[in-house]
Amino acid sequence: MAKEIYGYINQEYVNAIGNAHYTFNAVSFSSEDLNRCKKIAHSLYLDSLEAKDVSYYHNCSHGKVYSKAIDNLYTFGNVKIVRNASSILNNVSKQITTEENPSLFTVFSDMGTDINSKVVKVPKILHVPNKVCDYSSFFLDHELAHCLKDLNYEENKYIKTLEEVIPIVVELITAYENYDIRLFKFVCASRMDMLYSNAHRFLNSYNEIKSGNLDDNEKRLYRFALEEDACYLNSFYYAMGIFNAYLYNNELVFSLVGQVLNGDITTNDLITILSIEPTNDYNNGFNTINKYCK
């Protein structure tokens, strides 16, 4: 029987995702990136000792969540985004799962081609939690952000390192712009809870790799898992910097995020334009989000 870790990562899974990375000529993590992710993971791990459970309000229909998610995207002031997101949501196959957590939407994509015959990710199936609530729409916006930006071939070059930046930014901004602090708190708490899980697994994978007790196949699996979680941690780092920039100049950030969603620029371009790099950008954004989780 093939070796497997974390319930789903085996050599077949690694090969499939690795082929996608190869197709997109994906940028890899630098040692500096991974060291930063390790620091973030340690920080989140320590904070998680005081993390509170999220309270769920199961008081929405699926139809209302779909409609609200589309309305949320008007935040970015671009009708093309709303039109394209509506088309995706109407055409993707929706599967209601047994999931009780109203934030756990997942989109699954296949390889396809754009009008220039370049390979892109095309959304095919959307897994929707059985129970949804009044803040579920913001997490559906997260998945719609994936669907929109991943139609840009150039964007997919950053699938390994920056894939989650814009989806996290979109979920936070649409929730913040909703002007209901209760819902924003739930979104922040849900996102942080997910990140705590990424941090714990990243550190476990790191320790397993350093233990010297793994064979070559196990090392490959844990290295892959470490980089999978590093993608969330690295994306969160930049997402916090962008969210911090949004708090000071929302119109500029609306415009730039909209350009990423429309495929006009990449996430990496946006980070460069906003000069999101100094640790202070991350710290300021994180402190803003973290205070709503207390």
Side-chain angles (χ1 to χ4, degrees):
M1 184 181 228
K3 291 180 179 178
E4 185 176 88
I5 63 172
Y6 300 128
Y8 71 97
I9 297 180
N10 53 35
Q11 196 58 51
E12 182 179 8
Y13 178 83
V14 171
N15 289 343
I17 303 300
N19 286 338
H21 293 166
Y22 177 81
T23 298
F24 291 124
N25 192 26
V27 174
S28 295
F29 279 107
S30 67
S31 57
E32 180 183 359
D33 291 330
L34 290 176
N35 285 335
R36 183 175 60 246
C37 288
K38 184 182 174 186
K39 292 177 182 177
I40 294 171
H42 274 299
S43 174
L44 291 174
Y45 178 77
L46 293 176
D47 282 348
S48 73
L49 299 178
E50 299 179 2
K52 295 179 175 61
D53 291 334
V54 178
S55 297
Y56 300 131
Y57 285 78
H58 301 161
N59 58 356
C60 275
S61 68
H62 287 93
K64 184 175 180 180
V65 170
Y66 302 153
S67 176
K68 182 65 168 61
I70 296 300
D71 287 345
N72 292 341
L73 295 175
Y74 279 106
T75 295
F76 300 99
N78 191 307
V79 175
K80 181 182 175 183
I81 294 171
V82 176
R83 183 174 65 245
N84 290 344
S86 296
S87 177
I88 289 169
L89 191 56
N90 288 334
N91 289 294
V92 74
S93 175
K94 303 180 192 68
Q95 295 185 4
I96 308 298
T97 69
T98 59
E99 179 58 60
E100 297 288 319
N101 185 333
S103 63
L104 291 184
F105 294 80
T106 307
V107 67
F108 297 91
S109 300
D110 286 341
M111 295 293 189
T113 55
D114 62 14
I115 59 174
N116 298 313
S117 299
K118 289 191 174 182
V119 180
V120 295
K121 292 169 69 176
V122 179
K124 295 295 183 181
I125 300 172
L126 176 68
H127 279 189
V128 180
N130 181 46
K131 299 291 186 180
V132 290
C133 69
D134 48 3
Y135 65 86
S136 294
S137 65
F138 308 118
F139 289 98
L140 178 52
D141 284 323
H142 175 115
E143 296 305 318
L144 290 173
H146 274 297
C147 297
L148 291 165
K149 74 180 185 65
D150 291 350
L151 292 171
N152 177 5
Y153 171 77
E154 294 297 326
E155 172 69 18
N156 283 301
K157 290 182 180 180
Y158 303 96
I159 190 174
K160 291 177 69 173
T161 56
L162 301 173
E163 184 179 25
E164 299 294 332
V165 175
I166 295 301
I168 292 174
V169 167
V170 166
E171 82 187 28
L172 292 175
I173 288 179
T174 54
Y176 195 85
E177 288 287 318
N178 192 69
Y179 301 112
D180 185 332
I181 201 64
R182 176 182 63 96
L183 296 185
F184 185 65
K185 284 183 176 182
F186 292 154
V187 170
C188 291
S190 292
R191 174 51 54 195
M192 294 307 298
D193 188 56
M194 294 179 201
L195 284 163
Y196 295 145
S197 296
N198 293 127
H200 293 170
R201 202 174 78 162
F202 178 95
L203 293 173
N204 182 70
S205 297
Y206 179 85
N207 290 333
E208 289 287 352
I209 293 168
K210 292 295 184 180
S211 70
N213 298 324
L214 305 179
D215 60 31
D216 289 342
N217 184 52
E218 289 170 328
K219 285 179 183 178
R220 282 193 292 271
L221 297 183
Y222 277 105
R223 176 72 184 191
F224 182 88
L226 182 139
E227 292 197 353
E228 192 171 69
D229 288 304
C231 179
Y232 279 91
L233 297 169
N234 192 56
S235 294
F236 180 64
Y237 172 79
Y238 287 107
M240 289 300 92
I242 296 169
F243 187 76
N244 185 58
Y246 150 77
L247 294 175
Y248 290 95
N249 191 340
N250 60 356
E251 291 301 324
L252 174 61
V253 174
F254 289 157
S255 174
L256 291 173
V257 171
Q259 289 178 61
V260 176
L261 295 177
N262 279 332
D264 300 321
I265 64 174
T266 67
T267 298
N268 191 59
D269 293 332
L270 184 155
I271 290 168
T272 301
I273 293 168
L274 291 178
S275 300
I276 302 298
E277 187 63 39
T279 301
N280 282 343
D281 287 339
Y282 166 76
N283 289 337
N284 291 337
F286 175 76
N287 290 337
T288 299
I289 297 300
N290 202 36
K291 74 180 182 181
Y292 288 102
C293 299
K294 302 302 182 183

